[in-house]
Amino acid sequence: MRQKQVLWAWSFLAVPILFYAVVRFYPTLEAFWISTTNWNLLTKPSFIGLANFKRLVADPVFWQVFRNTALYLLLGTPISLLLAFTIAYHLDRVRFLHGFIRALYFLPFLTTAAAMAWVWRWFYQPVPIGLFNNLLAGIGIAQQPFLRSTTQSLPAVLAPAIWAGLGFQVVIFMAGLRAIPTTYYEAARIDGVSNGTILRRITLPLLKPTIVFLVVFSSIGFLRIFDQVYNMTSQTSSDPGGPLNATKPLVLMIYQTAFSSFDMGYAAAQTVVLFLVLLVVSLLQLRLLRDR
Amino acid sequence: MLLGLMVSVGAIAGAKAQTVEIEYWQYVFDARVKAMNELIKRFEAANPNIKVKQTTFPYADYQTKIAAAMPAGQGPDVVQLFYGWLDNFVGAKFIQPLPRDAFPPAMIEKEFYPIVSAMKRDGEYYALPTAVRSLALFYNKKIFQEAGLDPNKPPKTVDELLDMAKKTTKRDGAGNMLSAGITLDFPGQDYHWWRETLLRQNGGAPYSDDNKTVTYNSEAGAKSLNWYADLQRVHKVGQVGFMDEGQAAFRAGRAAMTIDGSFRLGAFGGIKNFEWGVAELPASADGKKANFASYWVNAITTKPTGEKLEAAKKFLAFVTTPEAMQLWLETVGELPARKAAAETEKNLNHPIYGPFLKALAYSHATVFVDELAQRQVSLDMINRVLLQNQDAKAALAEAAAAEQPILDRFYKK
């Protein structure tokens, strides 16, 4: 009887396992193999050992891109979480037009990243068409180069990415806040505890699962940032990830290496690095934030 | 009804027995697809036993699709490719040399523009263009008039260009640019303008004759790069990123001049609020002219043999006839690749096509081994000069050091 159940369980599991093996695991392993070859898609791949990785380490663009990706992660995740929590915390108390305001925050999340990026790109233009620069010029402040600067362009690209993801995080935070039993708050109020203490002692500790989820989820998102950067810094004939690679994330470099230069082995090597970074960051966060 | 069905099935099967079907691939660009559909229609009318099936893909996927299809024994019999991809396609044995009986090299050299020599490897031609493109100066006649300039006298030399750009630049009280004298758009066509025109006018050359060595890191390189950068740095007649793109600024009537390719004619054709003119790229002070020409070519793949090969030869010959070229010019706006087809009285005197066509006689077609990577090197160079105030000589040296390995990696193979 038991054996029969096990058999049934496995036969049901076989389908997803097979699916994952073919669609997920096999290409992943294949990527490891390709990363040790020289392959331009047109000819047969030739094995070159770790030469691609050596080239990667010696490539200044890779280190610039690596630094950018780290910046997207280190700026993006805390800023977006802090903003989302602040909004959710206060929105939770708003009764008037609550649903409407929440929908407003959620709206950008539903919008196509490409369309959104193009609108923001237009905001950043110089006078006479750029919204921000027109405002600055209107109050007598010098124009800012924004996307045309090597220092301002990364934050300028990051801003809409944070803004777009905010709605999702707010909704998750609100769900987390709602899940905290009101009895805790009532008890705290009766004891005359201040709002700050309630936040620190009750709300945040009980939100931990929500926070862990959002930290991991948004970290992976920022490590894989692509659409915003690609659309804001490129057009059919432009400079994706520029100027001077100031905004280029790892995924964009992989894309360019693979589908512009057709240097598949080198692109696969970059993919392997990205995979390892994602793995390490996710494991680290889960370990640091897990319940003891 | 059953009988009718049987008869028609029989008719189709019967027709099929004599008909050769060949497949043609190109990327999606509406005007090109439309022109090709018309050409196929005419070709099939003239060759009733040959059917041509056109398949198109988005530009971004195009090369990948070919690379995936060809080794599997599928894919096109006649294929369109960018001239810069030729070495990759030849190296992968995707295309075969043009059969000498149908396309004798002597005929090609006599009848086509000399830039098609970029399609020659070891004495064999591998592909032929229907149309080519070159650069020209577009100018806004309304702005010229407002600035007190003669709207029928575009600049003839770079000095005149600078002078007119100064007169046509408009700013607000705070000094913000409202309308550019000339657009500065290196990611657009300006990097070709610098490399193939300004650099040569100063006595330099971008690459060695065998294309294997970068040679722009020179006195001429520095002179031309400084001249270009000074348009923004010193004279402030243009600004990189103004209105996002050079062509957008021109279209919006916020630039007096812009340098762009013949393929932009379609987009500029829609301009309603001002009249614009086309002029040859300004010559240097001592009258030296240079231009950049590029093209898409058609080649026969290694797939067809026997009667399919014969059909492919016929089709390729047809799409490179003067008649096909004239149709391409009128539908797509790209210039005929044969001198006789291009340089008719009507075309040469055409106010719009004329300047582009005249440029073909002194144009260079740069051989790229990795077009996008090489372009990136140029963009980084101008960005270092304009954004980080790097000295032109240092910028050129750094660019050459970055580009040479790209060439080396390719030619080593």
Coordinates of all heavy atoms in Angstrom, one line a residue, chain A residues 149-185:
Chain A
S149 N 25.7 62.3 -17.9 CA 26.8 62.5 -17.0 C 27.3 61.2 -16.5 O 26.5 60.2 -16.3 CB 26.3 63.3 -15.8 OG 27.0 63.0 -14.6
T150 N 28.6 61.1 -16.2 CA 29.1 59.8 -15.7 C 28.8 59.6 -14.2 O 28.8 58.4 -13.8 CB 30.6 59.7 -15.9 OG1 31.2 60.9 -15.5 CG2 30.9 59.4 -17.4
T151 N 28.4 60.6 -13.5 CA 28.1 60.5 -12.1 C 26.7 60.5 -11.8 O 26.2 59.8 -10.9 CB 28.8 61.6 -11.3 OG1 28.6 62.8 -11.9 CG2 30.3 61.4 -11.2
Q152 N 25.9 61.2 -12.6 CA 24.5 61.3 -12.2 C 23.6 60.3 -12.9 O 22.5 60.0 -12.5 CB 23.9 62.7 -12.7 CG 24.5 63.9 -11.9 CD 24.0 65.2 -12.4 OE1 23.1 65.2 -13.3 NE2 24.5 66.3 -11.9
S153 N 24.2 59.6 -13.9 CA 23.3 58.8 -14.7 C 22.8 57.5 -14.0 O 21.7 57.1 -14.1 CB 24.0 58.4 -16.0 OG 25.3 57.9 -15.8
L154 N 23.7 57.0 -13.2 CA 23.3 55.7 -12.5 C 22.1 56.0 -11.5 O 21.1 55.3 -11.6 CB 24.5 55.1 -11.7 CG 24.2 53.7 -11.2 CD1 25.3 52.7 -11.5 CD2 23.8 53.6 -9.8
P155 N 22.2 57.0 -10.6 CA 21.1 57.3 -9.8 C 19.8 57.7 -10.6 O 18.7 57.4 -10.3 CB 21.5 58.5 -8.9 CG 23.0 58.5 -9.0 CD 23.4 57.8 -10.2
A156 N 20.1 58.4 -11.7 CA 19.0 58.8 -12.6 C 18.2 57.6 -13.2 O 17.0 57.6 -13.3 CB 19.5 59.7 -13.7
V157 N 19.0 56.5 -13.5 CA 18.3 55.3 -14.0 C 17.7 54.5 -12.9 O 16.6 53.9 -13.1 CB 19.4 54.5 -14.7 CG1 18.9 53.1 -15.0 CG2 19.8 55.1 -16.0
L158 N 18.3 54.6 -11.7 CA 17.8 53.8 -10.6 C 16.5 54.3 -10.1 O 15.6 53.6 -9.7 CB 18.9 53.8 -9.5 CG 18.6 52.9 -8.3 CD1 18.5 51.5 -8.7 CD2 19.8 53.1 -7.3
A159 N 16.3 55.7 -10.1 CA 15.1 56.3 -9.6 C 13.8 55.7 -10.1 O 13.0 55.2 -9.3 CB 15.2 57.8 -9.8
P160 N 13.7 55.6 -11.4 CA 12.4 55.0 -11.9 C 12.3 53.5 -11.6 O 11.2 53.0 -11.5 CB 12.5 55.3 -13.5 CG 13.9 55.6 -13.8 CD 14.5 56.2 -12.5
A161 N 13.4 52.9 -11.5 CA 13.4 51.4 -11.2 C 12.8 51.2 -9.8 O 12.0 50.4 -9.5 CB 14.8 50.8 -11.3
I162 N 13.3 52.1 -8.9 CA 12.7 52.0 -7.5 C 11.3 52.4 -7.5 O 10.4 51.7 -6.9 CB 13.5 53.0 -6.6 CG1 15.0 52.5 -6.4 CG2 12.8 53.2 -5.3 CD1 15.9 53.4 -5.6
W163 N 11.0 53.5 -8.2 CA 9.6 54.0 -8.2 C 8.6 52.9 -8.8 O 7.5 52.7 -8.3 CB 9.6 55.2 -9.1 CG 8.3 55.8 -9.5 CD1 7.5 56.5 -8.7 CD2 7.7 55.7 -10.7 NE1 6.3 56.9 -9.3 CE2 6.4 56.4 -10.6 CE3 8.0 55.2 -12.0 CZ2 5.6 56.5 -11.7 CZ3 7.1 55.3 -13.0 CH2 5.9 56.0 -12.9
A164 N 9.1 52.2 -9.8 CA 8.2 51.2 -10.5 C 8.0 50.0 -9.6 O 6.9 49.4 -9.6 CB 8.9 50.7 -11.8
G165 N 9.0 49.6 -8.8 CA 8.8 48.5 -7.9 C 8.1 48.7 -6.6 O 7.7 47.8 -5.9
L166 N 7.9 50.0 -6.3 CA 7.4 50.5 -5.0 C 6.0 49.9 -4.7 O 5.8 49.4 -3.6 CB 7.4 52.0 -5.0 CG 7.7 52.7 -3.7 CD1 9.0 52.2 -3.2 CD2 7.7 54.2 -3.9
G167 N 5.1 50.0 -5.7 CA 3.8 49.5 -5.5 C 3.7 48.1 -5.0 O 2.9 47.8 -4.1
F168 N 4.5 47.2 -5.6 CA 4.5 45.8 -5.3 C 4.9 45.7 -3.8 O 4.2 45.0 -3.0 CB 5.4 45.1 -6.2 CG 5.6 43.6 -5.8 CD1 4.6 42.7 -6.1 CD2 6.8 43.2 -5.2 CE1 4.8 41.4 -5.8 CE2 6.9 41.9 -4.9 CZ 5.9 41.0 -5.2
Q169 N 6.0 46.4 -3.4 CA 6.5 46.2 -2.1 C 5.5 46.8 -1.1 O 5.4 46.3 0.0 CB 7.9 47.0 -2.0 CG 8.9 46.3 -2.9 CD 10.3 46.9 -2.7 OE1 10.4 48.0 -2.1 NE2 11.3 46.3 -3.3
V170 N 4.9 47.9 -1.4 CA 3.9 48.5 -0.5 C 2.8 47.5 -0.3 O 2.4 47.3 0.9 CB 3.3 49.8 -1.1 CG1 2.1 50.3 -0.4 CG2 4.4 50.9 -1.1
V171 N 2.3 46.9 -1.3 CA 1.2 46.0 -1.1 C 1.6 44.8 -0.2 O 0.8 44.4 0.7 CB 0.7 45.5 -2.5 CG1 -0.2 44.3 -2.4 CG2 0.0 46.6 -3.2
I172 N 2.8 44.3 -0.4 CA 3.3 43.2 0.4 C 3.4 43.6 1.8 O 3.0 42.9 2.8 CB 4.6 42.6 -0.2 CG1 4.4 42.1 -1.6 CG2 5.1 41.5 0.7 CD1 3.7 40.8 -1.8
F173 N 4.0 44.8 2.0 CA 4.2 45.3 3.4 C 2.8 45.5 4.1 O 2.7 45.1 5.2 CB 4.9 46.6 3.4 CG 6.4 46.5 3.6 CD1 7.3 47.1 2.7 CD2 6.9 45.8 4.7 CE1 8.7 47.0 3.0 CE2 8.2 45.7 4.9 CZ 9.1 46.3 4.1
M174 N 1.9 46.0 3.3 CA 0.5 46.2 3.9 C -0.1 44.9 4.3 O -0.7 44.8 5.4 CB -0.4 46.9 3.0 CG 0.2 48.3 2.6 SD -0.9 49.7 2.8 CE -2.5 49.0 2.5
A175 N 0.1 43.9 3.5 CA -0.4 42.6 3.8 C 0.2 42.1 5.1 O -0.4 41.5 6.0 CB -0.2 41.6 2.7
G176 N 1.5 42.3 5.2 CA 2.3 41.9 6.4 C 1.8 42.6 7.6 O 1.6 42.0 8.7
L177 N 1.5 43.9 7.5 CA 1.1 44.7 8.6 C -0.3 44.3 9.1 O -0.6 44.2 10.2 CB 1.0 46.2 8.2 CG 2.4 46.9 8.1 CD1 2.2 48.3 7.5 CD2 3.0 47.0 9.4
R178 N -1.2 44.0 8.1 CA -2.5 43.5 8.4 C -2.5 42.2 9.1 O -3.4 41.9 9.8 CB -3.4 43.4 7.2 CG -3.6 44.8 6.5 CD -4.8 45.5 7.1 NE -4.7 46.9 6.8 CZ -5.4 47.5 5.9 NH1 -6.2 46.8 5.1 NH2 -5.3 48.8 5.7
A179 N -1.5 41.4 8.9 CA -1.4 40.0 9.4 C -1.1 40.0 10.9 O -1.2 39.0 11.6 CB -0.5 39.2 8.6
I180 N -0.5 41.2 11.4 CA -0.2 41.2 12.8 C -1.5 41.4 13.6 O -2.3 42.3 13.4 CB 0.8 42.4 13.1 CG1 2.0 42.3 12.2 CG2 1.1 42.6 14.5 CD1 2.9 43.5 12.3
P181 N -1.7 40.5 14.5 CA -2.9 40.5 15.3 C -3.1 41.8 16.0 O -2.2 42.3 16.7 CB -2.8 39.4 16.3 CG -1.7 38.5 15.7 CD -0.8 39.4 14.9
T182 N -4.3 42.4 16.0 CA -4.5 43.7 16.6 C -4.4 43.6 18.1 O -4.2 44.7 18.8 CB -5.9 44.3 16.2 OG1 -6.8 43.2 16.3 CG2 -5.9 44.8 14.8
T183 N -4.6 42.5 18.7 CA -4.6 42.3 20.1 C -3.3 42.8 20.7 O -3.2 43.4 21.8 CB -4.8 40.9 20.5 OG1 -4.0 40.0 19.7 CG2 -6.3 40.5 20.4
Y184 N -2.2 42.6 19.9 CA -0.9 43.0 20.4 C -0.8 44.5 20.6 O -0.4 45.1 21.6 CB 0.3 42.6 19.5 CG 0.5 41.1 19.4 CD1 1.4 40.6 18.4 CD2 -0.1 40.3 20.2 CE1 1.6 39.3 18.3 CE2 0.1 38.9 20.1 CZ 1.0 38.4 19.1 OH 1.2 37.1 19.0
Y185 N -1.4 45.2 19.6 CA -1.4 46.7 19.6 C -2.3 47.2 20.8 O -1.9 48.1 21.5 CB -1.9 47.2 18.3 CG -0.9 47.0 17.2 CD1 -1.3 46.2 16.1 CD2 0.3 47.6 17.2 CE1 -0.4 46.0 15.0 CE2 1.2 47.4 16.1 CZ 0.8 46.6 15.0 OH 1.7 46.4 14.0

